[in-house]
Amino acid sequence: MSDVVLINPFEVEAGAEEAAIAYWERAAAHMRAQPGFVSTALHRAIGPGARFPLVNLATWRSPAAFAAAVASPAFRALTQGEAARFPHHPGLYTVIRT
Amino acid sequence: MSDVVLINPFEVEAGAEEAAIAYWERAAAHMRAQPGFVSTALHRAIGPGARFPLVNLATWRSPAAFAAAVASPAFRALTQGEAARFPHHPGLYTVIRT
């Protein structure tokens, strides 16, 4: 299977954006070191009122590589305290039309 | 302002995916012809149960270019009948961390 794209929209309350970005930075630092990681880019909405003020787009070599990275005890320890604070809707995707 | 990224997650009921893709294709055909359009890629979730089975990622030269494209009478006529069938959450973004 070719690369897969993680698209992870985050719901972020007003005033919590900096905390959400700091949370993303900690998680991204862990993910960058995992086998099969290719790239990541945190996107911020340019205007107010976006349903998802932050969206992470990342590329992984395979679904299995991503699954292993998020299943690791280190990632769980790193995220479990805060994940609920920023409801998010991760999914793995491939491109079907351009 | 540099390019902006449209991230548009779609909620798609089971069995409605082909209709949603056809809807996207009609809209994309219109968008490709608009000033400021750069690229578009429709992403499909690789597994079942994704909150957003389809996500469109597109690049535009500016927020104004995108706003003009969606405000055009042609786009409104093309989408108004079906947009409600596929709830979606478009936002314009820039990258803030990689």
Side-chain angles (χ1 to χ4, degrees):
Chain A
M1 184 162 206
S2 60
D3 289 359
V4 286
V5 176
L6 167 71
I7 301 176
N8 192 4
F10 285 80
E11 301 171 37
V12 181
E13 289 172 358
E17 191 168 283
E18 289 314 313
I21 293 170
Y23 167 74
W24 178 88
E25 285 173 333
R26 285 192 298 278
H30 170 83
M31 293 302 218
R32 287 190 195 93
Q34 305 312 305
F37 172 85
V38 176
S39 65
T40 189
L42 183 62
H43 291 63
R44 175 166 48 196
I46 61 169
R51 173 83 169 77
F52 304 111
L54 295 174
V55 179
N56 182 39
L57 302 182
T59 302
W60 287 80
R61 285 286 176 238
S62 69
F66 177 72
V70 295
S72 75
F75 186 77
R76 287 177 184 279
L78 186 138
T79 56
Q80 67 186 4
E82 290 199 270
R85 186 176 173 196
F86 310 114
H88 46 290
H89 310 279
L92 291 179
Y93 297 80
T94 52
V95 176
I96 56 165
R97 298 286 191 285
T98 58
Chain B
M1 184 165 207
S2 60
D3 288 358
V4 286
V5 177
L6 167 71
I7 301 176
N8 193 5
F10 285 80
E11 300 171 38
V12 182
E13 289 172 355
E17 192 168 284
E18 290 313 313
I21 293 170
Y23 167 75
W24 179 87
E25 285 173 333
R26 287 192 297 278
H30 169 82
M31 292 304 218
R32 287 189 195 95
Q34 304 313 305
F37 171 85
V38 176
S39 66
T40 191
L42 183 62
H43 291 62
R44 174 164 51 193
I46 61 169
R51 172 86 169 74
F52 304 111
L54 296 174
V55 179
N56 183 40
L57 302 182
T59 301
W60 287 80
R61 286 287 176 235
S62 69
F66 177 71
V70 294
S72 75
F75 186 76
R76 287 179 184 278
L78 187 138
T79 56
Q80 68 185 4
E82 290 198 271
R85 186 175 173 196
F86 312 113
H88 46 290
H89 309 280
L92 291 180
Y93 296 80
T94 53
V95 176
I96 56 166
R97 300 283 192 287
T98 59

